[in-house]
Amino acid sequence: MSINDFEVSFQKLRWVCDPASLGIESTAELEPAVEPIGQERAVAAVDFGATIPSEGYNVFVLGPVGSGRTTLTRQTLAAAAAERPAPTDWCYAYNFHDPRSPVALQLDPGDGWRLAQDVDELIEDITQAIEHVFDSDEYQDQRDELLREFREERSREMHAFEKEAEQAGFTLGRSSSGLIVAPAPNGEVMTPEEYEQMSEEERKDLDKKREQLQDVLVDLMQDLRRREKEARKALRQLDRQTIQFATDHLIDELVQEYKKYEAVAEHFQQMKHDLVENVARFRETEEHSSPFPVPEAFITGARTPCERYCINTLVTNEELKGAPIVLEMNPTIDNLTGEIEYQTRMGALITDFTMIKPGALHRANGGYLILEAEAVLRRPFAWEALKRCLKDGQIRIESLQDQMRLISTVSLEPKPIPLDVKVVLIGTPLIYYLLYAYDDEFGKLFKVKADFNTIMERSEETIQAYTRFIATKCQEEDLPPFSAAAAAKIVEHGVRTASDQEKLTTRFVDVLDLVRESAYWADRNGNGELVQAEDVQNALEQFIWRSNRVEERLLELIEQGTLFIETEGEVLGQINGLQIAVLGDYTIGMPTRITARSSLGTAGIVNIEREVELSGPIHSKGVLILSGYLRQKYASDQPLSCAASISFEQSYSQVEGDSASCAELIALLSSIGGVPVRQDIAVTGSVDQHGSVQAIGGVTRKIEGFFAACKIKGLTGEQGVVIPTANVRNIMLREEVVEAVEAGQFHIWAVQTVDEALEILTGMPAGEVDEAGNYPEGTVHHAVQDRLHQMAQTLREYGRGAAKEAKEDSQSS
């Protein structure tokens, strides 16, 4: 076959979008795009996960950044959320039985907020009613009457006792232990000296009377204390009756209003009971209250008696028209499950149920929660907390402080809230497969996989969708419309980004960037009314110019001769391979010089990069495949008696991938067979053990890289690139390269086998093996086979000679 038979025509090197096929003059004529573009499978998966009611059908959206995964997910969830009712409100209230464990109240949407407002008004009314009723004349009269009766009775009995004691010659006195009876025969308390002057009989009689009176006094004081206790009890009962009279009707009004909520009604009944039992709290004056907080205050943070009757509206959904959709960008454990805040008071940390703050799970309860998978996994304890909530079906407030706490402190333990949410994790395929492989619970909790593709079929419908996308973004961002030619350029760029002439990229973030930049340059160049094709081309060239400093420097080194890249002539055992380097958002293709040297020996093929640990596993595999090819091709009747080395010259970094294995094989065969290889042709393609040339990645950038090297050293009209036939559909070259091919200044050849590549690069036929296992003279394979046969013969003769010398040395010794 002639070399021309393998050449790819310039028409196949770039797919061109005909502006007339769009059927518009400009995108201003188009309606905005409504339906998602190119992700039907993924969108259907998200919708399935969002609408199936069964547990465990949470969704993991996997796709690369820029594929529209977040935007389309939110749009799909919005449609599903609109069909669902708004979820209930959730509130926390004081737990009268266990202050450390606030109770959760569930109400209809909007009723939670209204309940909190009504209770605030109730507290204000209760406070005023209590102040009024305890300041009323009626209450004061009743209180004074009770006190007066007690005081009069106490005074009367004490007076009677004092009179009795006086008649007996005694009087009442005070000591550190209380009231005592002291002898006072003349109205004055007897002194110790007077007592000593009395006779023994008089003293005994005096002591006996004093003891009798002291016993009567003790009984009297006990009776008075009992009566005082009864009086206090009567006062408390009066206070209870008074506060009930003042507040019961106020609370009963709310009980009636919220009677359909049993938990709320029960809470109001407990509030009534608490008001009665703690009436003293409302009667304490500021000067009599303790300056130090009581122990309960450290837990509840109560600052006023009525404060604990407030309602903490955790989540209210009054404004929602459907299920909530929450996107949490910082999914810490506190932001997911909620947190309990603290205040510092008098050097102590205090809290109460009003300081409980909702998390994303609370806000999304009854709807959908969207999280970035990587962000969740990076936050300490967040992933485990999320799984616990999903497994248990309830939200239990956890915090990072609780997980890391070294010193135990008293805090709140709010009652958990039932959870009904669909969690949508968004991440890369790598994260999904790692979680599925190493987290046993992941597959049970996230049963739906929404796989976003990076490409879609190029068809009339998808091209029209592209142009509608451009029209939509122009309207949304107030950009000028695009002419049909400019829109066609955008579509062509979508094909180039997809690296397939039959596909379009779905990385619409990149497409949108090009739309914005094209509009910018149109405005800078005075075409602000309508973006033209040259504006799109200018935007592409400006992007390349901003990004290709490293590429230009490498080409400069090639031009200077610092990097040895030959683009003319023939060399033995040397070939131009092609490689790509990804520099952030810009990919460059560059030629690399591959050399092979061979000699007599049995070491086989030595991969120099592997020996110095610069070869990746795939590249090492590719080199080992070459050994299999050589054995299959030339060692059917004799061993391979050859030692060879392969190296990427002037390469100082990791070499990975097998796309250079075809070039390496040709260099190796050239070295063994003594057949020189053209240096004006570069080769890319992987090879299998049968000699078939297989597809590789980055073919467009590789071709453009070698074209740039040839251009800077001078185009001769003979230069070109050999690629796998399977990669022809992946070519989407820049117009400059296509024009050079059309003009005959550059060439692209597509091959299916190594033999076809050999014929292009050596100018010799590869050769077909005959029945005897030999190749015809004048072919590449014959030259290689003949050289390997000579090496094998030489090695055998050398082996026999060495064995003979060893035997003679043994006999002489």
Side-chain angles (χ1 to χ4, degrees), residues 689-701:
Q689 294 186 102
H690 297 285
S692 298
V693 179
Q694 303 167 138
I696 45 83
V699 63
T700 296
R701 269 74 174 184

Side-chain angles (χ1 to χ4, degrees), residues 27 30 61 90 133 177 235 255 284 333 376 443 482 533 686 703 715 767:
T27 56
L30 298 173
V61 175
W90 283 97
V133 74
S177 59
L235 285 175
V255 172
E284 289 180 349
I333 186 171
V376 177
F482 280 56
S686 69
I703 294 173
L715 292 172

